[in-house]
Amino acid sequence: MTVFTQAARATFAAHYPEVPHKLPHALGCHPLLEIDALAQLAEALPRASVEYNQADLPIGISEKPNAPTLPIGETIRHIEESGSWAALKNIEQVPAYAALLADLLAEIEPQIEAKTGRMLKTQGFIFITSPNGVTPYHFDPEHNILLQIRGRKVMTQFPAGDANFAPDEVHETYHTGGGRELTWRDELLARGTEFPLEPGEALFVPVMAPHFVRNGPEPSVSLSITWRSEWSFAEADARAFNSVLRRIGIQPRSTGRWPHANRAKALGWRVIRKLRGVG
C-alpha cells in the first residue's frame, strides 16, 4: 500500500527541509496502531523507551511531570478516561514496527536525500493522548513527519532557529545533555502557526521548530517518523561547540540554518568529544 501519493511527495519535496506543511496520508487504522496493540507495544519496550504523564498540563513546564499511577499498559487501554499522555520511543526496537517505519520512510527517501543527503538515525515514536490533553512547549532534534491516526489535535509551531522562541543558550544546553522544554510566554502565541490535524493528515515539523500540541475532545493516536541528516548533526554539534565558547567567556555567533553547513564548529565539537573519549 502506498501511504503518500505522488502529489503528496511532490509537496513534501517543495517544502523540505525548512518549511512546515501538511500532507495527506493513507495509513488509516493500521492494526499495529490500534489501542490494544499499542498497550502491548508499551509493555514490550524497555522502560527507558516509554514516557507517560498526566495530560492536563500547561503549555509551558520547567521539568518533567509525575507519571500516572496506572501501569503504562492500563494507561493506554483506558486512555479515554485516564487523563494521560504517553510517548512510545524508538518503536523500531520491535521488528513489526521497524518494518512499518522503514516502509514509510522508503516512500519519501528520494525527496529527502535530494535535499539533505543520506537519512541517518531513523526512528519512530507513537503518541497516545487522552481527550483535551496538552503536550507542552518544546523542540525536537529530528526531521519529523507526524501522521495523525486517530482523533484530532492542533499543533502550534513557531519559527525554527529564531532565538525569540528558543534562545541559543537553551539549544546549547540541550545539545550537551539538558532537557528540551522551553520557557513559555503568552506573547509568543501571536507568531505561532496553528496546524489542525485529523485522521488521514500528516504534518512536517522542521528540525528544532518549537511547538506545543492541544488534543481534541477524543483520544488521539499519532505516529512520528523521524530521521537525522548530516546537516542536522552539524547544527547540533555547532551548538554544542558554542556552549564551550560561552563557558570560556566568548560570546559566540549563532549557528546557521539550512543550507549553512556549520562545518568548522561542528568539527571543533567532534574533536573535543574525541579528546574526552565520548563518541
Side-chain angles (χ1 to χ4, degrees):
M1 179 182 70
T2 300
V3 171
F4 298 110
T5 64
Q6 184 175 350
R9 295 194 298 271
T11 298
F12 173 70
H15 292 82
Y16 178 74
E18 285 287 80
V19 181
H21 59 283
K22 287 172 62 172
L23 301 165
H25 74 79
L27 187 57
C29 296
H30 194 286
L32 291 176
L33 301 175
E34 297 289 349
I35 290 295
D36 194 58
L38 295 176
Q40 293 178 49
L41 171 63
E43 291 165 339
L45 285 170
R47 188 169 182 176
S49 297
V50 176
E51 178 183 352
Y52 69 119
N53 50 55
Q54 63 191 58
D56 183 16
L57 295 171
I59 295 173
I61 60 172
S62 58
E63 58 186 26
K64 298 291 185 188
N66 294 327
T69 55
L70 280 176
I72 181 59
E74 292 310 296
T75 293
I76 293 174
R77 290 185 180 95
H78 299 283
I79 198 65
E80 197 148 350
E81 63 270 359
S82 64
S84 302
W85 171 88
L88 310 184
K89 305 175 182 180
N90 300 114
I91 61 172
E92 67 279 359
Q93 297 173 91
V94 175
Y97 290 89
L100 175 61
L101 175 65
D103 288 345
L104 291 170
L105 288 175
E107 291 191 22
I108 53 174
E109 184 175 8
Q111 291 78 23
I112 292 169
E113 296 193 340
K115 291 285 189 72
T116 56
R118 186 165 59 94
M119 286 191 300
L120 305 171
K121 201 175 181 180
T122 58
Q123 296 175 303
F125 304 83
I126 296 174
F127 305 100
I128 308 104
T129 313
S130 291
N132 304 309
V134 171
T135 304
Y137 188 51
H138 70 287
F139 53 26
D140 300 302
E142 306 92 1
H143 305 277
N144 173 19
I145 296 178
L146 180 72
L147 292 85
Q148 189 66 14
I149 307 301
R150 173 181 175 180
R152 291 164 176 80
K153 61 176 50 172
V154 177
M155 178 186 286
T156 303
Q157 278 194 52
F158 300 83
D162 187 328
N164 291 306
F165 302 100
D168 289 340
E169 293 87 345
V170 178
H171 281 277
E172 293 160 16
T173 299
Y174 172 71
H175 289 301
T176 52
R180 65 185 67 188
E181 291 76 28
L182 297 169
T183 300
W184 175 252
R185 306 186 310 277
D186 288 343
E187 60 266 29
L188 299 179
L189 190 58
R191 287 192 59 195
T193 302
E194 290 189 350
F195 293 95
L197 290 173
E198 299 189 0
E201 295 184 322
L203 175 62
F204 173 68
V205 185
V207 171
M208 305 304 277
H211 59 277
F212 68 86
V213 183
R214 290 188 187 275
N215 203 43
E218 54 194 5
S220 167
V221 175
S222 307
L223 167 65
S224 275
I225 57 173
T226 77
W227 63 98
R228 298 291 299 272
S229 62
E230 176 52 36
W231 163 62
S232 75
F233 278 120
E235 183 185 358
D237 290 344
R239 294 276 192 186
F241 187 77
N242 274 357
S243 73
V244 175
L245 297 179
R246 204 178 296 277
R247 284 200 298 272
I248 62 175
I250 298 172
Q251 185 68 25
R253 184 177 179 179
S254 183
T255 58
R257 294 287 293 181
W258 175 264
H260 194 93
N262 296 308
R263 287 194 181 93
K265 286 182 177 178
L267 179 60
W269 176 246
R270 291 167 190 178
V271 168
I272 290 171
R273 283 174 56 89
K274 189 162 289 188
L275 291 174
R276 290 176 177 175
V278 180

